[in-house]
Amino acid sequence: MTDAASPQLSPNPGFFQTSEIPLAAEANWVHRFYNNMTSQEYGPWILRMNGFDQIESSQDVIIIGDEAAEDYFLAGALSAERSTTYLLAHREFGRFTRLTVWQPEVKNEDIPEPMVFLRGSDWRVLLDTYWTKVLEHHGVDRDPCVPMPLSGYCTWYYYYDDLSERQFLDNVRAVQAHREVFPCRFVQIDDGYQTFHGDWLEQNERWPTPLADTVGRLRREGLEVGIWIMPFLAAANSRVAREHPEWFVRDDEGQPVYVPGWSLPPNHNWQCLDATHPEALNFMREIFHRFREMGVTYFKLDGVGFSAQRGHRHDPDATGSSAFREGLKAIREAAG
């Protein structure tokens, strides 16, 4: 395996492209990757391309190769400080011709997200080397001490958002009765306890007991308690969205931007909390601080891909990626 020569990039750091993919005409293999910062394309991650003219996309890293010749080329971004990196593999006239690298939130005066280009005979070695370089770039230990694997019960995979306190406690009792078979450590409340997405500390009529009381009781019985939350999102009908529209990412007309989520009405239209707004950030900190005070020790963070919503923020220099990082820092501070 070798470092591949860096392709020639155009002067505009927000949009640049390679001149040619350094592989034989027979190359038809693609490994693509989608993170949760932006919308996913569905389908397999490994593809064999046979079309005449096609474009395949990936986020942050892509591998293109010739399986028969065992020759693979990897292009990958080492960071996402300001922007997700989009990679487009162009197949023209029956062969791969070029790779477009696009970092849409990098402005002309910004430093682009650094890239690495590798070439070798085993795509798995290339991918492993890439992740090692990412960790080194961020000063993260390659082999950290891994704690005990999590084991527990999550309500989502049977009840989805149609969950009641009674159903949850009935299942917890069943778990406790069979801990010799399934040594459950965590019990996690998923979607369905709150009134609206965004109003995370307000319980609906199916949850009559204060969460603090329920969490305290379960902890006294030897269980750790987790909770589901979409920290960067709120339903358009939520109290926080109605009372504080200035806390959300806005469009050119100054109105909160919303996207259609996967939840059923009235939680189906989601707005993105502006993590660069001091009051919005304090709101987020307070939610996690309150849950930690209750005794919640496990947080299932969902919907984070929508946190990079493009639009206008309190900090005009922020991007979706940089705001997401600020939000995560605040969560770590509050959750401990």
Side-chain angles (χ1 to χ4, degrees), residues 116-324:
V116 62
F117 302 96
L118 304 171
R119 191 171 181 181
S121 60
D122 190 328
W123 67 269
R124 290 155 296 195
V125 173
L126 293 184
L127 195 58
D128 185 70
T129 302
Y130 165 69
W131 290 122
T132 298
K133 289 180 178 291
V134 170
L135 293 173
E136 290 173 349
H137 180 79
H138 292 280
V140 178
D141 185 4
R142 169 66 195 252
D143 297 304
C145 178
V146 179
M148 181 187 301
L150 297 181
S151 60
Y153 166 67
C154 169
T155 61
W156 174 258
Y157 301 99
Y158 187 85
Y159 294 103
Y160 300 101
D161 61 356
D162 187 19
L163 175 69
S164 70
E165 177 184 304
R166 182 189 59 78
Q167 291 167 325
F168 172 67
L169 293 176
D170 284 349
N171 280 276
V172 170
R173 281 191 285 272
V175 165
Q176 290 174 307
H178 297 90
R179 291 182 78 174
E180 75 284 354
V181 177
F182 177 58
C184 181
R185 177 180 164 196
F186 286 92
V187 289
Q188 184 238 306
I189 303 168
D190 214 281
D191 190 2
Y193 68 91
Q194 76 288 351
T195 52
F196 288 97
H197 296 351
D199 299 333
W200 305 114
L201 298 173
E202 299 182 18
Q203 297 170 227
N204 61 43
E205 67 281 356
R206 300 193 305 272
W207 288 78
T209 306
L211 279 177
D213 294 349
T214 302
V215 172
R217 168 188 159 188
L218 294 175
R219 285 175 60 83
R220 289 191 295 273
E221 294 175 3
L223 292 167
E224 294 191 60
V225 181
I227 201 154
W228 169 89
I229 185 172
M230 295 201 298
F232 300 98
L233 293 173
N237 289 340
S238 65
R239 180 193 299 273
V240 65
R242 288 184 283 107
E243 294 183 355
H244 300 283
E246 73 279 7
W247 288 3
F248 294 86
V249 178
R250 303 176 309 283
D251 61 21
D252 291 341
E253 282 70 46
Q255 298 301 310
V257 177
Y258 76 85
V259 294
W262 58 72
S263 300
L264 295 174
N267 273 310
H268 58 305
N269 288 331
W270 296 348
Q271 297 177 190
C272 177
L273 201 68
D274 179 1
T276 73
H277 194 294
E279 293 179 6
L281 207 57
N282 285 334
F283 169 76
M284 189 184 301
R285 287 193 185 99
E286 177 65 15
I287 289 169
F288 281 85
H289 179 70
R290 291 276 299 279
F291 278 131
R292 286 294 286 122
E293 280 189 329
M294 294 180 194
V296 173
T297 53
Y298 170 68
F299 294 92
K300 177 182 174 181
L301 307 186
D302 201 357
V304 295
F306 293 86
S307 64
Q309 176 68 51
R310 295 196 188 112
H312 299 280
R313 289 176 164 81
H314 180 78
D315 178 358
D317 292 327
T319 67
S321 295
S322 69
F324 171 68

Side-chain angles (χ1 to χ4, degrees), residues 56-62 75 85-89 99-101 115:
E56 281 303 326
S57 65
S58 186
Q59 293 173 11
D60 295 326
V61 62
I62 192 169
T85 297
Y86 297 84
L87 301 121
L88 306 176
L99 180 72
T100 298
V101 183
M115 301 287 298

